[in-house]
Amino acid sequence: MARRLKHGDILQIPLPKNLGFAYGRYLDLEELFPPPEPPRLSDLIKIFNYKTPTNEYNLKEMESSGYLMQPLLVSGLPPTIKKGIWHILDEKAFSEDNRIPHFSRHENWISDDINDNWYFCVDANSQKKVRSTYDDVKHLSRLAADGTGIIELKIALTFLIQDGKRIEDYFDLDEYYEKATFEAVKATPPYYLLPKEIRDKALNSQ
């Protein structure tokens, strides 16, 4: 029986196409931001810039690797854990990281101006939004939860791009979800190449 997910757990995430395993740090935003203002989306993961070809791993190397991509809000995580698709590692993290990044939010439904109605949100909360521009938030994750399945695909694509591999050798870019996810990943500036001081913050947010 799968162990119950707790704030701070380290997760092992199987990647598609037999591309190995990725790893992420789980943050329970309901624990960090209890009522009266809990976030609507409560499950967040930070993906380490670390993967393994098998389920054997080194936790110390993992935590020293930094992060691969912007933190992601997740939907459907408890059932994925319960079914044993993602696994909670038995080892405890060496360090605690409760920093919550800014998330981008777009409320442009009619304008053709790419900079119209962009915001960044603090504490993963849409009620704490600040008007911004596309250029200032394009490196951030959207304030929306991705389902498990899409997240594994995003992680795999990001690793392949980082490794300089041809995506077409691994995924069918005529398939809708694979193509759409690849386009989204490709359009986001690589987190691991951004200056550390702006990785989790909107530009001009101070």
Side-chain angles (χ1 to χ4, degrees), residues 7-206:
H7 177 78
D9 279 339
I10 303 296
L11 300 171
Q12 185 179 68
I13 305 165
L15 298 176
K17 309 293 184 181
N18 295 315
L19 289 171
F21 295 85
Y23 300 83
R25 186 193 304 270
Y26 169 70
L27 274 66
D28 182 351
L29 298 184
E30 287 189 356
E31 182 170 318
L32 295 176
F33 304 108
E37 288 191 34
R40 183 175 62 86
L41 304 168
S42 61
D43 292 333
L44 182 145
I45 55 170
K46 297 185 172 188
I47 305 299
F48 292 106
N49 194 357
Y50 176 86
K51 66 181 187 297
T52 56
T54 70
N55 60 6
E56 298 293 322
Y57 63 90
N58 183 303
L59 184 59
K60 195 166 187 177
E61 287 181 13
M62 183 194 307
E63 287 205 283
S64 66
S65 68
Y67 296 118
L68 175 72
M69 57 206 302
Q70 286 288 348
L72 299 169
L73 295 164
V74 190
S75 65
L77 186 50
T80 300
I81 299 293
K82 187 175 182 180
K83 291 176 183 177
I85 300 171
W86 292 19
H87 295 281
I88 302 170
L89 301 188
D90 292 330
E91 294 185 81
K92 289 285 188 181
F94 289 108
S95 61
E96 187 174 18
D97 179 7
N98 291 332
R99 295 170 297 167
I100 306 302
H102 291 163
F103 285 87
S104 68
R105 180 175 174 86
H106 193 209
E107 297 180 0
N108 172 19
W109 305 111
I110 56 174
S111 173
D112 291 330
D113 186 343
I114 195 171
N115 275 318
D116 273 0
N117 296 319
W118 282 94
Y119 300 83
F120 66 85
C121 298
V122 179
D123 298 339
N125 190 327
S126 61
Q127 301 303 309
K128 300 179 180 179
K129 65 182 184 181
V130 180
R131 186 174 287 277
S132 189
T133 68
Y134 173 73
D135 285 338
D136 284 352
V137 301
K138 65 185 179 182
H139 60 292
L140 302 176
S141 292
R142 296 285 186 97
L143 188 69
D146 287 315
T148 57
I150 292 296
I151 283 182
E152 293 96 314
L153 178 56
K154 275 189 173 181
I155 296 169
L157 289 167
T158 303
F159 273 126
L160 289 172
I161 292 170
Q162 183 187 54
D163 293 343
K165 300 292 180 67
R166 274 173 42 92
I167 303 302
E168 297 87 343
D169 292 341
Y170 298 87
F171 293 98
D172 179 6
L173 295 183
D174 289 327
E175 196 278 329
Y176 175 79
Y177 287 105
E178 293 185 2
K179 180 179 180 180
T181 305
F182 173 57
E183 293 297 333
V185 169
K186 189 171 63 170
T188 305
Y191 182 86
Y192 52 85
L193 295 180
L194 292 172
K196 289 185 178 180
E197 60 271 15
I198 69 167
R199 285 181 180 176
D200 297 313
K201 300 292 183 182
L203 302 182
N204 299 310
S205 61
Q206 299 299 326

